[in-house]
Amino acid sequence: MEHLERCAWVLRGTLVRAAVRRYLPWALAASMLAGSLLKELSPLPESYLSNKRNVLNVYFVKVAWAWTFCLLLPFIALTNYHLTGKAGLVLRRLSTLLVGTAIWYVCTAIFSNVEHYTGSCYQSPALEGVRNEPLSKQQCHGQGGFWHGFDISGHSFLLTFCALMIVEEMAVLHEVKTDRSHCLHVAITALVVALGFLTFIWVWMFLCTAVYFHNLSQKVFGTLFGLLGWYGTYGFWYLKSFSPSLPPQSCSSNLKQDSYKR
């Protein structure tokens, strides 16, 4: 337990800072551009992380929203109930996960449709021999063809959105004070460690996407969708009274947050 608390202390000191919430969006955008330029001008040699079947991609990134949802659900419930003691307010805050799910669903549907309507089925990976019959991507692959369309980076979108959402929700830790002997302290500490490591995985895999996969325009659109999903909620809608609202914070913390949003 002592090692877990030390780890949680380090992660809280790193991710809960207002400066992280202020600059992480810019850092993600800048790293996406830098990684994309590196990929175009001086590609890195292939590595384990450039293989789409690496462990982090298959078991984490492919189900990034599921991981984020399942860990934020108990974290938001426990921390918000501890601070407010009101079930209604907790349910209101948990609705942020429903909003996030809707954003994930709508954006991935948009990306799929864009790829479908801009794509064609080819006979080889070199994009030779267009098949003229009307095919969907699934039908094309089923017949041994190769589909090529404008594939907006779903990884860039989802990893951006998930990382920023976790950081926003962890801001509540400024206010959470628990008795170390209480089981609530153990639960919150474990969730802080899990969410902290998850955030670092999302950022790391975002960087890997930037240097290994997709072209620049596909990653720009993906990252832009992620940033808009975050800012449209935490930077705009959640500041309104009729919304899931921001995590509960003291007046001084709210003033600091309002200032960086502006």
Side-chain angles (χ1 to χ4, degrees), residues 89-167:
L89 290 178
V90 173
L91 291 174
R92 179 183 177 186
R93 291 259 41 260
L94 285 174
S95 67
T96 58
L97 296 175
L98 297 180
V99 174
T101 301
I103 291 172
W104 162 74
Y105 182 82
V106 170
C107 288
T108 52
I110 291 173
F111 300 166
S112 179
N113 278 290
V114 168
E115 186 181 14
H116 172 74
Y117 287 112
T118 61
S120 298
C121 187
Y122 296 86
Q123 295 179 3
S124 72
L127 306 183
E128 299 173 344
V130 180
R131 300 188 177 189
N132 295 323
E133 63 268 25
L135 294 171
S136 66
K137 181 179 179 180
Q138 290 73 23
Q139 292 173 328
C140 177
H141 289 166
Q143 296 180 18
F146 298 86
W147 188 266
H148 180 73
F150 189 74
D151 183 18
I152 298 175
S153 176
H155 282 23
S156 296
F157 153 67
L158 192 54
L159 296 176
T160 297
F161 182 66
C162 287
L164 292 174
M165 185 175 183
I166 291 173
V167 169

Side-chain angles (χ1 to χ4, degrees), residues 183-250:
C183 60
L184 178 64
H185 176 79
V186 177
I188 291 177
T189 299
L191 287 168
V192 168
V193 172
L195 285 167
F197 277 110
L198 197 64
T199 304
F200 284 115
I201 291 174
W202 295 163
V203 172
W204 175 248
M205 293 306 292
F206 178 87
L207 297 176
C208 290
T209 299
V211 298
Y212 287 123
F213 304 105
H214 291 278
N215 62 38
L216 175 60
S217 59
Q218 292 167 349
K219 285 176 284 194
V220 166
F221 275 100
T223 304
L224 183 60
F225 270 90
L227 292 173
L228 288 175
W230 157 74
Y231 187 79
T233 51
Y234 288 90
F236 180 73
W237 183 31
Y238 293 176
L239 299 175
K240 311 299 182 182
S241 57
F242 186 73
S243 73
S245 75
L246 294 171
Q249 298 176 60
S250 65

Side-chain angles (χ1 to χ4, degrees), residues 1 5 12 178-190:
M1 184 61 192
E5 288 189 349
R12 287 177 67 151
T178 56
D179 185 349
R180 295 184 62 181
S181 63
H182 198 281
C183 60
L184 178 64
H185 176 79
V186 177
I188 291 177
T189 299

Side-chain angles (χ1 to χ4, degrees), residues 3-19:
H3 294 295
L4 190 66
E5 288 189 349
R6 286 182 180 178
C7 190
W9 180 81
V10 172
L11 290 169
R12 287 177 67 151
T14 304
L15 297 176
V16 182
R17 296 173 182 270

